[in-house]
Amino acid sequence: MTHTLRLALWGLGFLLVIALPARAQKTVHRAAPPASVASAAANCNLGAATADLDIGRVRAQVYNMGGLFWRGGGAIYEAPYDARNATAEPNALFAAGLWVSGEVDGAPRFAGSTYGNWEFWPGPLDATGETTASRCASFDKIWRVSVRDLAAYGRSGITAQTNPDLLSWPIAQGAPYFVDTNGNDRRDASEPRIALGPGDAGYSLTLGGGAVLDLAAGERPDLVGDQAAWWVMNDNGNLHNWSGSQPLGIEVQVLAYGFTTPDVAVSTATVYEYTILNRGTNTIIDSRVSLWSDPDIGNFGDDYVGSDAARGMGFAYNADEDDEGAGGYGAFTPAIGIDLLSSAAGTIAFTNNGGVTGDPSVEDDRRVAAWLAQQSLWKDGEPITRGGDGYNPGSSDVTTWAFDGDPLGFEFWTEEQPVVGEPQREAGDRRIVVNAPALTLAPGESRQVDVAILFAAGARARTRLASVSRLRDISDAVQAAYDADGTRGIRDASVTYGAAPARPDRPTLVSPANGTDFETTQPASVTFEWTAVPGAAAYVLDFGNGTEYTVAAPATSLTLDAATQLPQGEAQTRWGVRAVNWGGESRTSFPFTYTYNIYNPSVLLLSNGSPAFVEVVGPGGADPCGPDAGSTFGCSEVGGNAIFSSFNGTGDYIGTAVGAGPEVSLADFAPNDYEIRFTAAGSYAYYPFTTGVAIWVPFEVWDIGVTAPGAINDPLDDVQMIPNLFPDSGVECTFDYQDPTVFGIGETTQRIYAYYPVGDYATWAAAIAPVIAADPSQCPTDPATAAASNEIDFSRGRPLQRFKLEQAGAEISGLTGTVIRFYTTDPTPLVAPSLARAEALRVATHPNPVTTTATVPYTLAEAGPVRLRVVDVLGREVAVLADGLQAAGDHSATLDATGLAAGVYVLVLDADGQRTSQSITVVR
């Protein structure tokens, strides 16, 4: 599968499609601290200790600050791992972390984090829940011991090569141990675990003090597996800068371990025993313990998540059969499971897109947002309900398990089938939180939560769903061993895998009959039918352009709404069906075609929620939906509030809006209206974002003043603007128009921005025309072209609505005489900001493009609330540069771009009741 990233910037622009590099680099925005945080008794430094679990077929890096596998830089959860291979293996997990919450004095408290500002510090707490900076520093360590260390001691006693972590295994602070009465270095059923705590003889808050491990007397660390790491941490060592919460007063002891056993699945698993102790003086009501995780299956951009309530497991797997890229698994598409062995209460799944279903962010009260997530509730307190992304206010289909359907049966509710009869969810970068049940902890009480991270890959049936099936088999075997003998039994688990079903045969299509023409009848819906196939768990209706619908067997038909579900903008559509089960899928049926040229464009919305009026007028002013049009198909559907589908009565269409909603900047220009006029004379355009060259283009951009829909434009108030281009295809010497596909993939048409000249367009054109004419290629490289930017008013000329030009089967010359007209005040006029205020609200970036840091000067006309932020091309906020009350006048902020991936971003300034924006390019 080839991934593309669509970048549609604010502008009267085209859709930019950029192929991802072979190994996309995941960008993580470290958590910004909340506005205020609670006080803490100590001033501990964050723990810096690390250790690798690497004895089996997995390499997992652990830390003593609450997070796992990533703390900046590269992630390390490599599976399957080969210690002999000098190169890094793919990672099945990017990051994970412990979340703990509970109610104290009637209010929630929280400790945890995602990508920074971790809220655990090294060392134990005293009997009142306190610690000191010196104690934290002394415990900044992870002890790691393996059975090989024990065997080496048994052969030679203590030598210079003896693992110092074995000699110093900190039993005085609670590290588990046992007395090995039979000399096999493993804790057997007759050998109980020993763990010291406050009040026990030998317990000490001083590292090195109290009891020490007596190897000669047969005392051994309780490794459980074949290699174990132990550390102790607390949530009262410093400020809770991620959540802003008061501390809970908890100490957490962690024993993490891996295996080397004949069973490959067990050797590719790691287990984490979290013992949470209430060392404070307050009772923690409904303490909640969760493992938050960011499960990247190799390539982070093509994953799905799901929940298995019966097994107490959240899991992630690849959304297709190819995990592409240098960091991916290729055709070897595994699954990863977060399995709460000690009992689970639910899950919640996040995207990284912000909003109520996104990661807890700095805009949220993260203390409350995370506490709600631990109850399988969204940030606003709404429960998870089945369907879509799980956020369906008003629905009664409540669950505590995100995507809890069976993907192997292609059943609702999964990411495979988020809504019955609707396409799969778009794959992407997911998060999942697996929650343990609530349990009240009185002072001095503790609870243990045991988490297994399981890895599976689909053996002979090397399919993504075969990996999910095998993950279930592994979970069953590990859970059975755990239920029989606790964590001690996991090492002896043996997995039995179920046989994969045979791939089904391909179906035969039934209706609509091959070649059916729906143009004359124009039905509101179309029913697709095919024959049943033995062994099929589901059928995939495939239109060949990326649009697919999955139907669980035994259904052999699907009815689709013509206006919203059928492929649009295609004169003839090809369709087929393939049968699938978790063992594989059939070949697609011999395809049929039908004719039904659907076009149902998106409505452009202004900031007040009303639609913007956009129309296309053909050469000579022909009305594309008028009485002389050769075809009026689609006109009744779009009315006057979108782009007409017919180009000069030919049935072709010329314009498609891309995107809608409050982010559109067309409303910023109200009440003025605008036109793109394709003329024989054309105009000159400029490339301000790249090389600064100027070229001739076959269109003009005009501000036509205030007009009413249907009214005749008054040419006396028209102002010609300067088109500014961005080279989507990398070509800058010509306006690069090619026939794009309906969905924009592969198109190279350049985006158009429009800015006002400092003086007037004619003056600017007169200055730039001889420079262009003097260059043989008419793509001047003379430094004189750079002076063109001095004649463009970037502060006042905001880019118009992002826009894409399309014309089926027509050359660029066929557009001459066509006008695309943007009305910004239909049907409700907006109050026009005063010219003085519009002039005064300015924002810029120097330098632009940005490599590391840039200065962002901005001007306010009036005192008041200001918010200056940076968003990426998907509308996600990536940085806030200013937020609060500010005085009128000139201001300046600093943009630190070192943490941003290379690409295009938008700087957005909201002030004076207005919004202005500027594009920023980050380069490396």
Side-chain angles (χ1 to χ4, degrees), residues 96-143:
L98 178 68
W99 283 9
V100 184
S101 69
E103 295 181 53
V104 177
D105 296 332
R109 297 188 182 185
F110 177 86
S113 182
T114 53
Y115 303 107
N117 292 317
W118 291 279
E119 296 181 342
F120 290 96
W121 294 268
L125 298 177
D126 63 22
T128 62
E130 303 293 335
T131 188
T132 65
S134 60
R135 187 190 307 155
C136 288
S138 68
F139 278 91
D140 188 8
K141 180 173 174 57
I142 296 175
W143 288 262

Side-chain angles (χ1 to χ4, degrees), residues 543-728:
F543 288 99
N545 60 1
T547 302
E548 295 183 347
Y549 296 91
T550 300
V551 182
T556 56
S557 67
L558 181 62
T559 300
L560 299 179
D561 180 80
T564 62
Q565 294 179 301
L566 290 183
Q568 300 180 10
E570 296 182 351
Q572 187 179 77
T573 303
R574 181 186 178 101
W575 69 283
V577 175
R578 61 184 185 273
V580 297
N581 59 37
W582 66 263
E585 63 182 28
S586 72
R587 292 176 294 169
T588 302
S589 61
F590 294 107
F592 281 4
T593 63
Y594 67 86
T595 301
Y596 197 167
N597 188 18
I598 300 295
Y599 177 66
N600 186 24
S602 301
V603 174
L604 308 181
L605 297 180
L606 301 178
S607 57
N608 67 352
S610 63
F613 185 98
V614 182
E615 69 177 5
V616 175
V617 180
D623 183 350
C625 288
D628 298 328
S631 168
T632 58
F633 177 75
C635 293
S636 61
E637 297 174 25
V638 302
N641 290 322
I643 300 171
F644 291 123
S645 60
S646 176
F647 171 63
N648 196 25
T650 65
D652 296 335
Y653 62 90
I654 192 175
T656 301
V658 185
E663 78 278 9
V664 224
S665 58
L666 183 59
D668 291 344
F669 288 87
N672 287 19
D673 301 321
Y674 297 83
E675 290 182 345
I676 302 178
R677 304 172 184 173
F678 286 86
T679 63
S683 67
Y684 295 111
Y686 183 61
Y687 286 92
F689 310 118
T690 51
T691 58
V693 302
I695 64 168
W696 177 87
V697 292
F699 59 85
E700 304 166 3
V701 180
W702 288 80
D703 173 348
I704 63 172
V706 179
T707 60
I712 298 175
N713 174 48
D714 178 5
L716 296 180
D717 64 355
D718 293 1
V719 175
Q720 188 168 1
M721 303 174 72
I722 301 174
N724 281 211
L725 305 180
F726 191 93
D728 293 353

Side-chain angles (χ1 to χ4, degrees), residues 504-537:
D505 292 330
R506 63 184 173 190
T508 300
L509 304 185
V510 176
S511 67
N514 194 20
T516 298
D517 188 348
F518 292 111
E519 287 289 356
T520 55
T521 58
Q522 296 189 17
S525 62
V526 176
T527 298
F528 297 86
E529 296 182 79
W530 54 90
T531 59
V533 172

Side-chain angles (χ1 to χ4, degrees), residues 21-103:
R23 181 166 189 170
Q25 194 67 33
K26 178 158 179 165
T27 300
V28 173
H29 305 295
R30 289 179 178 266
S36 62
V37 294
S39 61
N43 189 29
C44 295
N45 291 324
L46 193 68
T50 65
D52 281 358
L53 298 176
D54 58 1
I55 200 167
R57 290 175 53 81
V58 61
R59 178 189 177 208
Q61 192 162 94
V62 297
Y63 319 108
N64 63 343
M65 45 50 167
L68 297 170
F69 319 136
W70 180 89
R71 63 179 300 164
I76 299 179
Y77 196 93
E78 299 175 14
Y81 173 68
D82 182 357
R84 298 166 299 179
N85 189 347
T87 60
E89 306 292 339
N91 283 287
L93 274 169
F94 182 78
L98 178 68
W99 283 9
V100 184
S101 69
E103 295 181 53

Side-chain angles (χ1 to χ4, degrees), residues 722-738:
I722 301 174
N724 281 211
L725 305 180
F726 191 93
D728 293 353
S729 64
V731 178
E732 297 192 8
C733 292
T734 59
F735 178 67
D736 193 6
Y737 184 93
Q738 295 182 15

